[in-house]
Amino acid sequence: MIQYDEFGPEKVLTVYDAKVGMTGFVVIDNTSFGPGKGGIRMTPTVNLEEVSRLARAMTLKCALANLPFGGAKSGIVADSKKISPEKKEDLVRSFAEAIKIVCPELYIAAPDMYMAEKEMELIVKTNGSHKACTGKPASMGGLPHELGSTGFGIYHSTKVAALYAGLDLKEATIAIEGFGNVGSFAAKFLSEEGATLVAISDSNGVIYNSDGIDFDELEKVKKETGSVTNYKPASTQCCNNILDVDADILITAALPNLIGLSDIDRLKFKLIVEGSNIPTTDFVENLCFMKDIMVVPDFVANSGGLISSYVEYIGGDEKQMFEMIEKIVSENTKSVLDKSKEDLCSPRECALTMARGKLRKK
Ligand code: NAD
């Protein structure tokens, strides 16, 4: 069920095209700072409630990052892995047609799960406006998500948070859920920093090697075979679930609702950095805080993609983008963790108080 409150959502759209079998959702949560910004995801399970929670995460993320955007999100119901590229194109084109009524005045799209620069190009061509989305190919003046902006921000957030969690990143062991855009770039930057990647998952399973997983080799295996589970030497027998891995840090970078209430007691991580959106609930995050597991909330840690979108929107370049991400994500992570320490409340509660305060002042 969608939750409405003083901040939104302002508009909730369900779009449907019987001809191509497209069902999609757009939730424009809050536009007090500017047009709603948020990615499009294509998954078989996406629904209005999920899109609405994600749109709220965008509202908070934009407010905390002080960007002139509001929060929004959208989804197309389809299993990208089971449909042909032509069918995927038809769905995206049909969706882009359907959302012309709000895009780009009230909604500016971007890539999210199973969406990339190719789909953004199609959206711009269908919509007829360059402002319809960000994450476009470089040839269209875009700063594609393929530059790894979100993973770069996750790396910086982890670097700051590790200090607060009493971890030396160079000595730390890391598990990463998901090896797509966010997970693979987080893995790259963290392994370059000297951290040891001990477990990585994708939709086919979890691989584990206590001596460390070589990033370059893993990337090659994923590219060539389609799954991290073909990487050797690593065991796929260790854990069926990334949550059972014994590592200092978990980076979530795939699914919503990864960590449920019943998972709390199995967690051995000292730090969780939320690369994915809504990997758990506020309640679970508060319990983690009580159990001394530090959780950096999604809208604090994963705003790299959003900041990249903003730099693209104002016509900036790659260098500006990386500098701005490092600054904003590091400072926000620090402010939230400082407040958490001072007020003895979970990072999520502190970040929410900060972001809501900014929204109320507007
Ligand atoms: P992606 O499509 O590039 O990658 C998704 C990854 O998830 C793939 O590696 C896939 O194999 C993996 N996956 C699917 N099912 C899984 C499972 N059951 N267990 C483990 N892994 C599984 O998507 P992405 O862009 O990397 O986004 C990942 C998450 O990060 C999403 O929650 C998204 O909302 C969030 N996010 C993305 C960005 C961005 O810039 N791309 C920005 C902010 C937040």
Side-chain angles (χ1 to χ4, degrees):
M1 217 176 69
I2 297 184
Q3 308 277 333
Y4 290 85
D5 62 18
E6 63 180 300
F7 303 115
E10 293 171 8
K11 285 190 172 47
V12 176
L13 271 70
T14 299
V15 294
Y16 179 62
D17 179 351
K19 239 195 214 159
V20 293
M22 183 278 296
T23 301
F25 310 105
V26 185
V27 174
I28 298 166
D29 185 55
N30 185 296
T31 57
S32 44
F33 280 96
K37 187 84 192 72
I40 305 178
R41 64 175 47 186
M42 179 179 278
T43 64
T45 51
V46 68
N47 57 51
L48 257 186
E49 186 187 343
E50 179 179 308
V51 173
S52 149
R53 284 179 65 203
L54 292 163
R56 173 55 52 89
M58 290 304 294
T59 299
L60 298 167
K61 207 184 291 187
C62 293
L64 203 65
N66 284 324
L67 296 177
F69 288 136
K73 198 83 183 181
S74 62
I76 303 171
V77 185
D79 191 339
S80 187
K81 285 189 170 169
K82 292 195 179 146
I83 56 176
S84 66
E86 295 75 27
K87 176 75 182 174
K88 185 169 180 179
E89 234 182 83
D90 285 346
L91 294 176
V92 173
R93 194 179 297 105
S94 161
F95 181 74
E97 276 292 346
I99 64 168
K100 265 185 183 174
I101 44 166
V102 287
C103 176
E105 286 76 17
L106 293 175
Y107 175 51
I108 302 167
D112 193 67
M113 290 181 85
Y114 300 104
M115 289 279 144
E117 59 177 75
K118 195 166 138 246
E119 284 76 31
M120 297 306 109
E121 180 174 354
L122 185 55
I123 289 171
V124 165
K125 286 183 175 160
T126 309
N127 186 288
S129 166
H130 253 70
K131 296 276 182 210
C133 60
T134 56
K136 300 184 286 283
S139 59
M140 297 181 95
L143 289 171
H145 276 209
E146 286 70 6
L147 290 171
S149 52
T150 304
F152 182 71
I154 293 300
Y155 153 63
H156 279 290
S157 183
T158 308
K159 206 169 151 180
V160 171
L163 294 172
Y164 285 78
L167 294 166
D168 175 355
L169 209 45
K170 291 191 195 314
E171 302 286 318
T173 52
I174 301 199
I176 301 188
E177 178 238 4
F179 200 67
N181 183 291
V182 177
S184 65
F185 279 101
K188 174 181 159 36
F189 294 118
L190 285 163
S191 66
E192 280 170 7
E193 179 74 22
T196 306
L197 306 172
V198 290
I200 314 262
S201 68
D202 68 10
S203 53
N204 291 312
V206 184
I207 55 163
Y208 178 81
N209 185 335
S210 59
D211 293 331
I213 293 165
D214 181 73
F215 173 78
D216 292 328
E217 185 57 26
L218 179 65
E219 196 187 31
K220 202 165 133 230
V221 168
K222 174 85 180 178
K223 227 173 239 162
E224 284 171 3
T225 71
S227 175
V228 299
T229 53
N230 297 313
Y231 173 92
K232 305 274 177 306
S235 159
T236 49
Q237 306 304 316
C238 141
C239 330
N240 286 325
N241 192 319
I242 195 91
L243 298 183
D244 292 323
V245 170
D246 191 351
D248 298 319
I249 302 173
L250 170 70
I251 309 283
T252 70
L255 304 179
N257 308 313
L258 172 74
I259 311 169
L261 189 53
S262 58
D263 294 316
I264 290 273
D265 289 333
R266 72 207 275 199
L267 301 178
K268 295 181 266 300
F269 311 107
K270 296 182 187 74
L271 169 64
I272 298 175
V273 181
E274 296 183 346
S276 53
N277 287 310
I278 55 167
T280 187
T281 59
D282 296 8
F283 185 67
V284 168
E285 281 185 40
N286 293 341
L287 287 180
C288 283
F289 177 70
M290 287 187 230
K291 278 200 68 184
D292 240 2
I293 302 170
M294 182 179 286
V295 182
V296 184
D298 46 11
F299 70 96
V300 179
N302 75 16
S303 57
L306 168 69
I307 297 163
S308 166
S309 293
Y310 172 68
V311 176
E312 174 176 331
Y313 195 72
I314 58 169
D317 61 19
E318 212 175 305
K319 184 169 174 285
Q320 264 171 294
M321 180 264 279
F322 283 119
E323 282 170 6
M324 200 166 168
I325 292 172
E326 179 174 348
K327 185 173 185 312
I328 294 180
V329 175
S330 304
E331 283 177 6
N332 278 345
T333 304
K334 190 173 179 314
S335 309
V336 166
L337 295 180
D338 277 341
K339 190 167 170 56
S340 168
K341 227 166 127 184
E342 265 165 49
D343 297 359
L344 294 181
C345 65
S346 74
R348 164 80 48 180
E349 277 180 69
C350 296
L352 280 173
T353 306
M354 288 158 75
R356 284 174 181 152
K358 289 183 183 198
L359 284 163
R360 286 196 184 103
K361 263 195 207 151
K362 189 71 188 167

